[in-house]
Amino acid sequence: MKRGTKAEAHRLRALPSVASLLARDAVRQMMQAHPRDIVVSALRRILDGIRAGEGAGAAPVSREAWAERIVTRLPAAIAAGEALPIRRVINAAGVVVHTNLGRAPLPEEALAAVSDTAGGYSNLELDLASGERSSRLSHVEGMLRDLTGAECAHVVNNNAAAVLLCLAGIARGREVIVSRGELVEIGGSFRVPDVMAESGARLVEVGTTNRTRLSDYERAITGQTALLLKVHRSNFVQRGFTEEVSAGDLARLGARAGIPVMEDQGSGALLDLTRDGIPGAFSLRQVLAAGPGVVTASGDKLLGGPQAGIIVGKEELVGPLRKHPLSRALRVDKLCIAAMAAVLRLYADERRARGRVPVLRMLLEPETAVRARAARLVRRVRRAGDTRLVLSVVRGETSPGGGALPDVFIPTACVAVTRPGIDEGRLEERLRRGDPPVVARLAGGRLLLDLRTVRDDEVPALAAALLAAEKNG
Ligand SMILES: *Cc1c(COP(=O)(O)O)cnc(C)c1O
């Protein structure tokens, strides 16, 4: 607002008070359906908005006209006030495992399992056959062993926690050898050297940024060496004059020297997706088969389950971690156990997993099917008639995301959107701030909506959001 202008002060002087608004019939009716506090704070927010300059410069209106305007806005203000701060959004950004958007959408089966067990009591830590106390992990560890071929499995809060626990449990006070090419940062708060320091293990760096050989590890081994660690680079690739030691070679060196080998695999893929044209997406079973004694991974990246850190490997290494005091601090809750059990159950049948786990479905859906969904969105918007949105279906690339496969891009179909009179940045913002919020991508002066990460049943809402974004300035 242009503060201090006389016209503005005059305009605001006619604003009705909260008390007088509460006495109006229309507002009293709203209070039958909503708690008084909610209605009062919605009124305050509307009045604050007007005082802060909404509609400043407009002609003065009477007290009665103000009151009518405010009452018209009340239902929307109440709805906004009652909405939860975290809500569903439509991911049209073209990143499947999008960390800012909650990573993996869960399969229906996992939602049902959570809803079935979490609203009441469950046998979380009770063996129903014997009546004895049991471990919450008993619901998932057997399936994890079967799916990965591991002797022993453990689950903690996330992969960062899994790495911390392994380092603290296996190497506290001793040395861990890591290639300089793998001292990575995976999202602001996970840096391998920092996690190492927190665990109490001492980092021994070997090799150079671009080249590390087996002999580098070999020479660094001392009586203090507790672990050889390999870290999946996850969110970047190295090209050119590079060399790294394979997990197999490292495992053989570890076996010769009597030192355990650990691999932080990151993505948690349970199926070999390399055969589906997703290079580098090896399964946990394949990674374990190469020989490391312990492998850690995320539950909510390519696995497509709830947030979790999965530790699989040899009994002698993983077994003691389950009893480590840190395990109690890093343990998963019942929602996670219920969701993970349901997701792992789907993987018992590979075909079912491919069809039912949303992350896999999105990664593997044929481009033609995505294109059909894009065309459906375009038709739906055009059918509205009253629009100046210009839409076209274009080819694009979806990223698997989650830092899992930085150089992999999956061909996809996008809807490119322009609107004469509204620049694409404004359109992107309006979509993001709409209801439901839509997260789109700006590229080359165009607004792109990637339909690979949009579900069929979200298309009508997405069409409506586009039409609303065009109108609501
Ligand atoms: C993602 C990732 C992590 C961190 O996993 P969170 O489940 O996010 O804690 C650690 N290491 C690697 C290699 C990763 O890819």
Side-chain angles (χ1 to χ4, degrees), residues 103 157-161 163 184 186 190 231-235 264-267 296-301 307-309 402-404:
R103 286 197 180 164
N157 184 56
N158 57 12
N159 190 23
V163 174
V184 298
I186 295 157
F190 183 91
V231 182
H232 192 281
R233 286 207 190 91
S234 288
N235 53 10
D264 177 13
Q265 182 249 18
S267 80
T296 60
S298 287
D300 57 352
K301 290 185 182 170
Q307 178 188 302

Side-chain angles (χ1 to χ4, degrees), residues 29 42 65 89 192 195 216-217 245 261 331 355 369 459:
Q29 261 170 33
V89 310
V192 172
V195 176
D216 294 322
Y217 290 92
V245 175
V261 175
R331 84 173 178 190
V459 169

